[in-house]
C-alpha cells in the first residue's frame, strides 16, 4: 500500500514536471537565444548553453536599434490612459447602477449585459470608419478610444457595490455625505481589491492586444508592444534572432515579472472575466 | 378608530410644535403591493424615550427610516421640533441614527468614524477633497476642534483607548459604542435607534440597556427606539407604541400597556409567558360565566355575546392565606418548569374543552404550596383581581374605565 | 427657505430627496452611457446597415444590395474555408484544453509543497504577450534553426516544417493556442476543485468509494460539472477568436490552411477595404458569439441554482 502511494506520487510528479518543461521551453529558449551570439544561432551544431555571453550586443540592438523601447513606452501610455478613463467612468456609473434609482437604469444595465458578449472585432469597422472620417487614425486617441468603455468593469463594479451594506450608505447620508462623496470616500476604498484585479486585467489585455492596434496604427511612432515586436521581426527577417529574442524578452518581461511578484492578484485579475 | 382617539388625546391637531419631538401625520407606505404603513399618526414628546415595539414586519423600522428621511412615505408628513422636514434630505433633519449593524465605515478608524459627521458639516467640499484639502489653512483649525469633541464623546463612552483602531478590530459591544458615539457627536434633536442591541450577547445586552437609559437621562434628548424585544421596551421606555401590520395598536407607558391593554392583541404581545386566553359568553348582567363561576365586569354587552377573557400567568394563585377564598378553578398539572426565582405551571383547566393555561408562581409560593400539599393533582387555582382582562367580540377592551373592586359574588 | 418650501406643491416637496438621488444616479451614469452609445450601440447599428450595402472605404457611390453580401459569403470559398478552419481549430483546442487542464489541475491540487510552483509555471503563458511568444515559437519551429524539427526527426517522424505544411499548420497553431490557455483553464478548475467540500470525499469513502477512480467519478466529476461546462464555453469562445498567432506565424497560409474567421474578416475589412462585405461577415461572427454567450449565461444561471 505504501509503495503504491509512493509510485502514484512519483508518477504525478513526472507528469507535472514534463508538462512544466513543455510550458517553460519557449521562455527558456527565448532567454537562451537572447544571450546567444549570432554565429551560434546559425551554427550547424546545436548547443543548449551559449558558448559565450552575447547578451550585451543583443539587448543593445533591441534597445537602441529597434522600435521596441518606443513601443513599450507607447504601450504603457496607452494602457494607463485607457485604465484612467475606464475607472473614472465605470466606478461612478457602476455605483449608480447598483445603488441609485434613476430613469433608464434598467435599460442601461441590460445594455451592459448585452455588451459583455461583444468583442472589439464587432464595432471595429464602424469605429474605424468614424476615425478615418475625423482624421484621427494613427493617433493615441484612436488606440485608446474603443476601450474607454468597459462593460466588464461596469458589470464587475456593479456586482461589487451591490454587496456593500446598505446601512453604511444610509449612515453616510445621515452624516451629510453627498452621493459623489459616498463614491470616493466609501465605495472606492471598499472596492480597492476589485479595482486592483480589474486594473491588472485591463493592463494585461491592452498591453497584449494586437487586433485593434494593427488596424488603426500605421506609423512606427504609435506602435504598441505587439506591433513593435512584429516590426522588429519583419525588419530582421532571417537576420539576428538573438536581438529579436532580446526584444521579445523585453516586451514580455514587465507583465511576467509583475505576475511573479503579485501572483495571487494576477490570477484573480485574469480569471475574473470567467469567474465573475 | 383607535388613531382618532389617539389624535385627540395627544393633541395632534395643535398647530404649534412646542414640547414636540417628532410629529407624524397620516404616514402611509407600500412596497409594491405590500402595505407596510397604513396612515399612521404619532406625536413623540420632546425628551421622551419612545419605543416602537412590534413583531418583525410590522413597519416599525420603515417608520424609523421615514423619520430619518432615508425612506419617502407615499402619503403623510413628518415634522421634527415643530418644523416640517418632508423636503429635507436626511443630513439636514437634525437626527442621528444607530443602525442594527452599526454601519461603521469599515476602512476608517474609530476616530475617523466619529469625526465624519462633523467634518461633513463644518468643512467645505473643497476642504474634504483628497490632496486639495491640505491647501486650506482653516481646515487644520476646524479639525482640531472636531478631534477635541470626538475625544470628549469617546471619553464619555469610555472608548478613548480605541480611537486608532478600525471597526474590524473591535468587539460587538465596542462597535455598538462607537455607533452610539457617532450619533452623539452631532448633538442631534432626535436619536433614532434601530434594534441596536440585537447583535449583542445576552449579558452585554442588559449592560448596554442600562447605559442607554443613563444616556437618555443625561442627554435629555428625544430617543426613538425600535425593537421587537418587549423586555427592552418595558425597561427603557417613557412610552411604548405597540405596532402591528402598519398600525399603532396602543400608545402608552409600559405600565399602561401591561395593566390596561387596549386590545387582545396588545395583551397577548406584552408579557412573558403569554397570558391565558379563554372564550366566554356575556351573561347580560355585566358579567361573564366561566364554568360554574360568574365574574362581574360591568360591561354593557347583551347576554350571549361572545367575549374573550385574558388571564396573566401571575393572576392565577394557589389557595394560600389571603387568596384562599377567591373564585377558584380546578386544573390538571401537565408540566412544571423551575426557572429559579419562579415556577411556571402548565395546566389544563377543568372547563369545557380543557383549555390550557400557564400559571406563574414565585419560588416562595411554590415552596409554601408544596409544604401545604397544594401541588397535588388536581390543583385548585384562585383568580386574583389584577391581571384579568375582558375583551369584546372585536378584540378591544370590554371593561369600563374604572378600577374593578369586586371580583366575586 | 421655509416660505419658499411651503409654496411648493406637497407631492413635489416630498419627492425632493428621492429626486436628488435620481439626479446623482443619472449624472454618474451619463459618461458611461455616452460611451456605451458611441462605442457600442451606434457602431452596431451602422454595422448592420453597412452589411446591406456594397460600400468600400473611399468609394464615391454606395448602393443598397440587400442581402447580397450574405449570399456571397456562402459561396465564397475563402469564407467557407475560414469557417471550416475555425471550427477545426476549436475542435483541436477544446478537448485538449478542457481535459488537459482538468488533469493538470487534479494533479496540482494533490501536491502540497510544490502546488504554487506548478501553478506559476502553467499560468506563465497566460500573462505573457502572445505576439512576442509567437515569434519565439516561430523560431522554435524553424525548419533549420529551431530545435523542434531535429527533435521530431529524432523520434522518427522525418523532418517536418510544421508551419509551412498545409496539413499540419492549423494543428500547430492549435498546440500553441493550447500552450497559452492551459494555465487559465487550470486555475478555473483549481477553483472548482477547492470548492468541493472535504466531507463529501469522507462520506464517499465511508460509503465504500475508496479508490481514486471511484472518488473521481462519484464526487469530483459531478461536483465539477458546472465548472467544466463553463470552461468548455469560455475555451470555445476564445478559440473561436484565434487571430494573433495567424497574423504572426502563417498569415492564413500555407494555401489558406490557416485562414480563420477573424483573420479573413480583418483582411476583407482593413486590407481590401470591402467594408460592406466585411460588415456582413462581422454580423455572422456576432451571431456565433452571441449564441455562445447566451449558452454561457444559461450555464451561469444553472450554476447559481446548483450551488
Amino acid at each position: 500500500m505504501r509503495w503504491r502511494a509512493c509510485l502514484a506520487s512519483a508518477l504525478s510528479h513526472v507528469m507535472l514536471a514534463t508538462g512544466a518543461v513543455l510550458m517553460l521551453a519557449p521562455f527558456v529558449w527565448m532567454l537562451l537565444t537572447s544571450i546567444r551570439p549570432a554565429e551560434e544561432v546559425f551554427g550547424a551544431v546545436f548547443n543548449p548553453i551559449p558558448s559565450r555571453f552575447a547578451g550585451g550586443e543583443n539587448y543593445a540592438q533591441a534597445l537602441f536599434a529597434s522600435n521596441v523601447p518606443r513601443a513599450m513606452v507607447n504601450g504603457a501610455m496607452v494602457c494607463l490612459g485607457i485604465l484612467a478613463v475606464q475607472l473614472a467612468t465605470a466606478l461612478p456609473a457602476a455605483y449608480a447602477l447598483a445603488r441609485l434609482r434613476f430613469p433608464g437604469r434598467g435599460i442601461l444595465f441590460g445594455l451592459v449585459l448585452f455588451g459583455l458578449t461583444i468583442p472589439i472585432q464587432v464595432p471595429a469597422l464602424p469605429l474605424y470608419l468614424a476615425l478615418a472620417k475625423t482624421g484621427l487614425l494613427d493617433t493615441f486617441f484612436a488606440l485608446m478610444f474603443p476601450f474607454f468603455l468597459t462593460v466588464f468593469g461596469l458589470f464587475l463594479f456593479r456586482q461589487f457595490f451591490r454587496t456593500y451594506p446598505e446601512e453604511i450608505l444610509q449612515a453616510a447620508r445621515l452624516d451629510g455625505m453627498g452621493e459623489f462623496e459616498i463614491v470616493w470616500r466609501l465605495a472606492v476604498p471598499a472596492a480597492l481589491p476589485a479595482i486592483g484585479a480589474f486594473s491588472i486585467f485591463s493592463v494585461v489585455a491592452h498591453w497584449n492586444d494586437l487586433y485593434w492596434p494593427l488596424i488603426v496604427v500605421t506609423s512606427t511612432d504609435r506602435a504598441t508592444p505587439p506591433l513593435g515586436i512584429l516590426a522588429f521581426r519583419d525588419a530582421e527577417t532571417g537576420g539576428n534572432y538573438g536581438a529579436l529574442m532580446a526584444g521579445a524578452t523585453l516586451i514580455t518581461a514587465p507583465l511576467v515579472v509583475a505576475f511573479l511578484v503579485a501572483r495571487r492578484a494576477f490570477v484573480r485579475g485574469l480569471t475574473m472575466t470567467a469567474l465573475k | 378608530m383607535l388613531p382618532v382617539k389617539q389624535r385627540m388625546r395627544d393633541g395632534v391637531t395643535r398647530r404649534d410644535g412646542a414640547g414636540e419631538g417628532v410629529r407624524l401625520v397620516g404616514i402611509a407606505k407600500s412596497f409594491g403591493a405590500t402595505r407596510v404603513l397604513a396612515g399612521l399618526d404619532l406625536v413623540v414628546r420632546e425628551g421622551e424615550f419612545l419605543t416602537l415595539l412590534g413583531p418583525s414586519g410590522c413597519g416599525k423600522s420603515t417608520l424609523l427610516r421615514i423619520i430619518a428621511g432615508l425612506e419617502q412615505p407615499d402619503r403623510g408628513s413628518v415634522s421634527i421640533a415643530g418644523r416640517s422636514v418632508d423636503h429635507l434630505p436626511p443630513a439636514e433633519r437634525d437626527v442621528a441614527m444607530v443602525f442594527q449593524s452599526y454601519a461603521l465605515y469599515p476602512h476608517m478608524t474609530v476616530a475617523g468614524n466619529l469625526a465624519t459627521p462633523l467634518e461633513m458639516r463644518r468643512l467645505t467640499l473643497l476642504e474634504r477633497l483628497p490632496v486639495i484639502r491640505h491647501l486650506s489653512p482653516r481646515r487644520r483649525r476646524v479639525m482640531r476642534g472636531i478631534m477635541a469633541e470626538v475625544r470628549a464623546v469617546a471619553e464619555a463612552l469610555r472608548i478613548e483607548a480605541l480611537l486608532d483602531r478600525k471597526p474590524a478590530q473591535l468587539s460587538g459591544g465596542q462597535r455598538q459604542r462607537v455607533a452610539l458615539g457617532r450619533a452623539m457627536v452631532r448633538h442631534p434633536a432626535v436619536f433614532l435607534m434601530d434594534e441596536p442591541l440585537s447583535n449583542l450577547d445576552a449579558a452585554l445586552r442588559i449592560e448596554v440597556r442600562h447605559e442607554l437609559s443613563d444616556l437618555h437621562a443625561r442627554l435629555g434628548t428625544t430617543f426613538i427606539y425600535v425593537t421587537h424585544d418587549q423586555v427592552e421596551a418595558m425597561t427603557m421606555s417613557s412610552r411604548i407604541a405597540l405596532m402591528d401590520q402598519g398600525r399603532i395598536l396602543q400608545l402608552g407607558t409600559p405600565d399602561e400597556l401591561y395593566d390596561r391593554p387596549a386590545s387582545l392583541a396588545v395583551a397577548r404581545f406584552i408579557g412573558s409567558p403569554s397570558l391565558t386566553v379563554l372564550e366566554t359568553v356575556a351573561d347580560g348582567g355585566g358579567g361573564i360565566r366561566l364554568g360554574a363561576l360568574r365574574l362581574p365586569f360591568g360591561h354593557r354587552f347583551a347576554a350571549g355575546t361572545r367575549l374573550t377573557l385574558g388571564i396573566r400567568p401571575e393572576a392565577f394563585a394557589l389557595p394560600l392565606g389571603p387568596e384562599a377564598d377567591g373564585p377558584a378553578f380546578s386544573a390538571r398539572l401537565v408540566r412544571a418548569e423551575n426557572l429559579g426565582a419562579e415556577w411556571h405551571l402548565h395546566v389544563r383547566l377543568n372547563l369545557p374543552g380543557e383549555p390550557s393555561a400557564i400559571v406563574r408562581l414565585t419560588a416562595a409560593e411554590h415552596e409554601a404550596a408544596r409544604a401545604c400539599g397544594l401541588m397535588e393533582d388536581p390543583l385548585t387555582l384562585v383568580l386574583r383581581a389584577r391581571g384579568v382582562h375582558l375583551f369584546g367580540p372585536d378584540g378591544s377592551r370590554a371593561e369600563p374605565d374604572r378600577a374593578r373592586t369586586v371580583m366575586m359574588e | 427657505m421655509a416660505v419658499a418650501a411651503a409654496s411648493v406643491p406637497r407631492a413635489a416637496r416630498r419627492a425632493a430627496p428621492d429626486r436628488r438621488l435620481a439626479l446623482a444616479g443619472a449624472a454618474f451614469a451619463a459618461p458611461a452611457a455616452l460611451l456605451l452609445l458611441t462605442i457600442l450601440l451606434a457602431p452596431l447599428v451602422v454595422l448592420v446597415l453597412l452589411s446591406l450595402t456594397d460600400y468600400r472605404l473611399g468609394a464615391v457611390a454606395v448602393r443598397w444590395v440587400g442581402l447580397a453580401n450574405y449570399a456571397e459569403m456562402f459561396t465564397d470559398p475563402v469564407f467557407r474555408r475560414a469557417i471550416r478552419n475555425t471550427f477545426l481549430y476549436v475542435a483541436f483546442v477544446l478537448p485538449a484544453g478542457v481535459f488537459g487542464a482538468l488533469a493538470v489541475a487534479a494533479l496540482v491540487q494533490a501536491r502540497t509543497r510544490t502546488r504554487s510552483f506548478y501553478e506559476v509555471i502553467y499560468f506563465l503563458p497566460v500573462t505573457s504577450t502572445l505576439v512576442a511568444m509567437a515569434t519565439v515559437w516561430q523560431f522554435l519551429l524553424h525548419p533549420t534553426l529551431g530545435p523542434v524539427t531535429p527533435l521530431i526527426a529524432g523520434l522518427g517522424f522525418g523532418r517536418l516544417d510544421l508551419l509551412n505544411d498545409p496539413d499540419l499548420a492549423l494543428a500547430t497553431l492549435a498546440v500553441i493556442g493550447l500552450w497559452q490557455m492551459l494555465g487559465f483553464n487550470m486555475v478555473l478548475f483549481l477553483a472548482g476543485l477547492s470548492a468541493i467540500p472535504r466531507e463529501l470525499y469522507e462520506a464517499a469513502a465511508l460509503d465504500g468509494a475508496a479508490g481514486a477512480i471511484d472518488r473521481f467519478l462519484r464526487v469530483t466529476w459531478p461536483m465539477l460539472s458546472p465548472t467544466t461546462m463553463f470552461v468548455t464555453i469560455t475555451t470555445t469562445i476564445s478559440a473561436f477568436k484565434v487571430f494573433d498567432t495567424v497574423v504572426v506565424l502563417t498569415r492564413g497560409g500555407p494555401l489558406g490552411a490557416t485562414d480563420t474567421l477573424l483573420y479573413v474578416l480583418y483582411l476583407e475589412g482593413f486590407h481590401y477595404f470591402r467594408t460592406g462585405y466585411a460588415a456582413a461577415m462581422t454580423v455572422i461572427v456576432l451571431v456565433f458569439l452571441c449564441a455562445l454567450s447566451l449558452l454561457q449565461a444559461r450555464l451561469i444561471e444553472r450554476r447559481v441554482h446548483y450551488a
Side-chain angles (χ1 to χ4, degrees):
Chain A
M1 192 62 213
R2 234 178 89 212
W3 69 263
R4 253 183 74 178
C6 274
L7 188 75
S9 170
L11 200 68
S12 102
H13 262 304
V14 168
M15 287 196 284
L16 280 175
T18 312
V21 168
L22 292 177
M23 285 295 172
L24 283 180
F27 294 100
V28 173
W29 185 254
M30 174 173 80
L31 285 173
L32 283 179
T33 311
S34 76
I35 57 168
R36 200 186 289 277
E39 65 273 13
E40 211 178 304
V41 170
F42 296 99
V45 188
F46 177 69
N47 193 0
I49 307 297
S51 57
R52 72 176 171 90
F53 178 77
E57 57 215 63
N58 286 339
Y59 280 93
Q61 196 185 348
L63 278 174
F64 304 116
S66 85
N67 200 33
V68 167
R70 179 68 204 241
M72 290 175 71
V73 172
N74 289 349
M77 280 167 48
V78 168
C79 285
L80 292 182
I82 289 173
L83 183 63
V85 178
Q86 282 180 334
L87 290 179
T89 56
L91 281 168
Y95 174 78
L97 279 174
R99 285 323 183 80
L100 299 174
R101 231 176 260 278
F102 59 93
R105 181 174 79 158
I107 297 173
L108 186 61
F109 186 60
L111 287 174
V112 167
L113 289 179
F114 171 63
L116 284 174
T117 66
I118 296 176
I120 175 65
Q121 286 84 2
V122 172
L125 264 175
L127 288 175
Y128 178 84
L129 295 184
L131 290 168
K133 288 264 187 276
T134 47
L136 287 168
L137 281 179
D138 205 18
T139 60
F140 283 118
F141 177 80
L143 273 172
M144 298 190 282
F145 177 65
F147 307 109
F148 285 163
L149 169 72
T150 168
V151 281
F152 174 64
L154 284 166
F155 179 78
L156 177 85
F157 293 138
R158 176 209 180 246
Q159 298 306 85
F160 188 88
F161 289 146
R162 274 172 72 86
T163 63
Y164 197 80
E166 175 68 22
E167 287 201 336
I168 297 186
L169 299 182
Q170 296 186 337
R173 283 176 200 143
L174 268 172
D175 281 350
M177 286 195 206
E179 294 307 304
F180 176 63
E181 246 180 324
I182 288 180
V183 171
W184 64 260
R185 280 181 86 118
L186 300 183
V188 168
L192 277 181
I195 293 173
F198 174 79
S199 303
I200 289 172
F201 160 77
S202 169
V203 167
V204 169
H206 299 118
W207 179 272
N208 291 339
D209 185 34
L210 174 66
Y211 195 89
W212 183 249
L214 196 60
I215 290 170
V216 290
V217 169
T218 44
S219 65
T220 49
D221 286 356
R222 304 280 185 273
T224 58
L227 292 183
I229 193 74
L230 265 186
F232 190 29
R233 183 198 65 172
D234 294 343
E236 292 285 331
T237 32
N240 194 343
Y241 269 105
L244 178 61
M245 290 300 107
T249 307
L250 288 175
I251 278 176
T252 315
L255 294 185
V256 168
V257 169
F259 163 60
L260 293 176
V261 170
R263 197 161 50 84
R264 290 264 151 255
F266 252 72
V267 171
R268 200 173 55 232
L270 293 186
T271 54
M272 202 171 49
T273 39
L275 292 175
K276 302 199 224 285
Chain B
M1 165 136 195
L2 197 58
V4 176
K5 245 193 275 172
Q6 266 169 21
R7 200 177 304 185
M8 311 239 311
R9 192 187 318 143
D10 298 331
V12 174
T13 45
R14 279 186 320 184
R15 299 305 303 171
D16 65 315
E20 223 174 73
V22 175
R23 172 196 294 253
L24 306 173
V25 182
I27 301 289
K29 175 78 180 176
S30 300
F31 292 113
T34 323
R35 195 170 64 169
V36 181
L37 293 171
L40 185 146
D41 301 301
L42 176 66
V43 170
V44 182
R45 296 177 194 139
E46 192 179 344
E48 83 170 323
F49 192 129
L50 183 114
T51 300
L52 300 173
L53 174 68
S56 61
C58 71
K60 56 192 190 301
S61 284
T62 306
L63 189 61
L64 198 72
R65 273 152 212 274
I66 285 174
I67 297 171
L70 297 169
E71 208 89 68
Q72 298 303 308
D74 300 336
R75 280 186 293 111
S77 70
V78 180
S79 38
I80 293 174
R83 176 181 71 137
S84 164
V85 294
D86 294 325
H87 59 293
L88 292 178
E92 290 166 37
R93 293 189 174 197
D94 203 11
V95 299
M97 187 152 167
V98 178
F99 292 85
Q100 186 171 7
S101 65
Y102 313 139
L104 301 178
Y105 305 123
H107 61 289
M108 294 186 196
T109 61
V110 168
N113 267 285
L114 296 179
T116 299
L118 298 180
E119 285 178 40
M120 291 300 141
R121 276 168 182 70
R122 298 186 193 164
L123 295 175
T124 63
L125 181 61
L126 281 182
E127 288 168 335
R128 305 199 300 256
L129 286 174
V131 188
I132 301 173
R133 66 183 175 200
H134 298 291
L135 299 177
S136 160
R138 199 184 74 95
R139 181 178 176 274
R140 176 165 297 188
R141 208 176 57 237
V142 176
M143 281 308 288
R144 249 202 309 275
I146 289 177
M147 288 326 284
E149 284 176 53
V150 165
R151 258 189 299 279
V153 167
E155 254 164 62
L157 290 169
R158 302 194 310 281
I159 50 171
E160 63 270 45
L162 308 175
L163 283 174
D164 294 328
R165 297 221 201 141
K166 296 218 169 145
Q169 299 165 294
L170 302 180
S171 71
Q174 289 168 334
R175 279 180 218 177
Q176 213 272 345
R177 258 171 238 218
V178 176
L180 213 58
R182 184 172 64 181
M184 282 166 62
V185 283
R186 286 174 43 188
H187 302 293
V190 180
F191 277 93
L192 306 175
M193 306 200 182
D194 190 1
E195 309 225 11
L197 306 189
S198 62
N199 286 330
L200 301 178
D201 61 47
L204 203 53
R205 209 175 290 179
I206 295 172
E207 189 187 322
V208 179
R209 220 163 66 197
H210 298 156
E211 286 180 11
L212 278 181
S213 288
D214 291 348
L215 186 68
H216 176 246
R218 205 163 71 231
L219 297 175
T221 313
T222 313
F223 277 41
I224 302 180
Y225 186 100
V226 160
T227 185
H228 64 272
D229 183 323
Q230 50 167 304
V231 178
E232 285 174 24
M234 297 294 282
T235 50
M236 291 189 286
S237 314
S238 324
R239 287 193 302 162
I240 297 173
L242 182 65
M243 292 181 63
D244 192 32
Q245 292 173 11
R247 300 176 179 283
I248 293 179
L249 297 181
Q250 187 171 1
L251 174 68
T253 63
D255 290 356
E256 283 167 357
L257 259 69
Y258 193 78
D259 294 333
R260 300 191 52 74
S263 66
L264 181 59
V266 174
R268 282 187 175 194
F269 192 85
I270 305 273
S272 170
S274 196
L275 84 176
T276 296
V277 176
L278 301 173
E279 299 302 324
T280 73
V281 176
D283 70 352
I288 57 160
R289 286 247 160 249
L290 204 60
L293 291 176
R294 178 176 184 275
L295 305 181
F297 279 91
H299 64 72
R300 290 187 295 274
F301 289 104
T305 313
R306 297 186 156 280
L307 301 175
T308 310
L309 189 67
I311 307 169
R312 295 259 181 233
E314 66 274 14
F316 288 109
L318 293 173
L320 287 161
E323 252 111 29
D325 37 68
F329 299 91
S330 125
R332 179 164 59 81
L333 183 64
V334 178
R335 188 168 67 247
E337 296 172 334
N338 182 358
L339 275 74
E342 55 186 51
W343 282 73
H344 294 170
L345 309 183
H346 295 253
V347 301
R348 281 190 171 273
L349 302 177
N350 187 14
L351 290 172
E354 280 219 316
S356 51
I358 301 177
V359 177
R360 189 206 319 258
L361 300 178
T362 64
E365 284 169 342
H366 182 264
E367 186 59 47
R370 196 151 57 184
C372 305
L374 293 175
M375 292 303 294
E376 305 296 322
D377 239 358
L379 299 175
T380 302
L381 296 176
V382 183
L383 269 189
R384 288 176 170 144
R386 205 180 132 95
V388 180
H389 308 285
L390 187 67
F391 303 98
D394 63 347
S396 64
R397 192 171 185 80
E399 298 163 60
D401 280 358
R402 60 173 174 80
R404 247 178 311 122
T405 46
V406 193
M407 237 342 265
M408 172 77 191
E409 321 181 323
Chain C
M1 171 74 202
V3 177
S7 65
V8 179
R10 285 182 68 88
R13 257 175 42 192
R14 187 171 308 113
D18 268 352
R19 225 186 26 233
R20 217 173 293 215
L21 292 188
L23 215 65
F28 289 173
L34 194 69
L35 287 176
L36 197 77
L37 198 70
T38 53
I39 295 174
L40 199 73
L41 284 187
L44 270 182
V45 173
V46 172
L47 182 80
V48 172
L49 293 178
L50 274 176
S51 78
L52 304 173
T53 69
D54 67 348
Y55 184 70
R56 286 163 177 260
L57 188 63
V60 189
V62 187
R63 243 171 5 105
W64 287 103
V65 295
L67 295 175
N69 285 325
Y70 294 91
E72 184 189 342
M73 236 184 300
F74 290 101
T75 54
D76 178 357
V78 176
F79 180 75
R80 292 172 66 159
R81 192 169 60 209
I83 293 262
R84 197 188 64 109
N85 287 340
T86 306
F87 277 87
L88 264 180
Y89 181 88
V90 172
F92 274 130
V93 170
L94 188 58
V98 173
F99 292 104
L102 175 56
V104 173
L107 290 177
V108 167
Q109 163 90 352
R111 302 264 63 84
T112 46
R113 271 169 303 144
T114 50
R115 179 182 161 147
S116 58
F117 169 75
Y118 283 123
E119 251 186 83
V120 167
I121 289 179
Y122 282 89
F123 199 74
L124 209 53
V126 182
T127 50
S128 55
T129 307
L130 184 57
V131 173
M133 293 317 291
T135 63
V136 179
W137 275 101
Q138 188 177 33
F139 185 22
L140 276 169
L141 299 173
H142 195 284
T144 52
L145 303 178
V148 173
T149 308
L151 212 66
I152 292 177
L155 292 172
F157 292 99
R159 291 193 73 83
L160 298 173
D161 186 353
L162 292 169
L163 288 172
N164 288 311
D165 186 329
D167 294 332
L168 297 175
L170 191 67
T172 307
L173 293 189
V175 168
I176 297 172
L178 193 63
W179 169 81
Q180 214 248 340
M181 70 167 44
L182 197 70
F184 184 82
N185 288 353
M186 174 200 72
V187 167
L188 298 187
F189 276 123
L190 277 174
L193 283 172
S194 50
I196 301 176
R198 185 177 290 275
E199 292 84 40
L200 274 183
Y201 287 106
E202 291 166 353
L206 286 176
D207 290 345
I213 294 175
D214 269 341
R215 275 207 312 265
F216 182 81
L217 289 178
R218 299 261 151 206
V219 180
T220 314
W221 180 249
M223 287 301 286
L224 216 51
S225 72
T227 311
T228 312
M229 296 299 266
F230 187 77
V231 170
T232 304
I233 303 282
T234 42
T235 307
T236 309
I237 291 178
S238 65
F240 190 81
K241 293 197 285 187
V242 56
F243 178 76
D244 293 13
T245 46
V246 178
V247 169
V248 179
L249 297 175
T250 62
R251 297 191 178 276
L255 303 172
T258 58
D259 270 336
T260 60
L261 262 181
L262 285 195
Y263 187 67
V264 169
L265 171 59
Y266 163 76
L267 287 181
E268 293 289 351
F270 305 101
H271 256 250
Y272 312 140
F273 294 116
R274 298 177 58 201
T275 311
Y277 186 52
M281 235 182 240
T282 310
V283 171
I284 296 298
V285 170
L286 179 64
V287 168
F288 274 121
L289 287 173
C290 278
L292 283 170
S293 298
L294 274 180
L295 198 60
Q296 182 178 20
R298 275 287 158 75
L299 290 176
I300 294 174
E301 265 167 45
R302 275 248 306 269
R303 182 159 76 158
V304 170
H305 293 306
Y306 197 94

